[in-house]
Amino acid sequence: EAVGRFAEFFVEPTFSREYVEREAHAVDSEHRKNQPDPGWQLFRTLDLLADPNHPASRFATGTLDTLVTAPKNNGTDVRTRLVQWYRQ
């Protein structure tokens, strides 16, 4: 029964507003931690040199600005968009 309940988190996640914002903070923290890493810097440089039409050219992590501030400023509800993305 416990496994079944655990599996429900993946089958029908709630995307609670509290946890969506918490995850944005975790992603931002990880991004800031990785910035000084030489290996990460090398991959980021390769991303910048990639063909702009290739997915590798896109920014691969997020910050509070890209995940919270900019969407709010554009009138985008991040949780709603997350649910829409998940259901497609």
Side-chain angles (χ1 to χ4, degrees), residues 19-75:
Y19 292 111
V20 168
E21 185 141 342
R22 205 164 154 187
E23 186 62 22
H25 282 271
V27 169
D28 181 71
S29 177
E30 184 176 357
H31 171 73
R32 291 179 191 282
K33 172 190 70 78
N34 289 337
Q35 281 182 311
D37 180 85
W40 187 86
Q41 292 173 354
L42 174 63
F43 279 114
R44 184 66 186 125
T45 302
L46 294 174
D47 293 345
L48 293 170
L49 295 173
D51 179 337
N53 296 318
H54 191 278
S57 70
R58 296 186 205 121
F59 188 63
T61 64
T63 64
L64 284 179
D65 186 50
T66 62
L67 298 171
V68 177
T69 306
K72 279 183 184 175
N73 291 343
N74 291 331

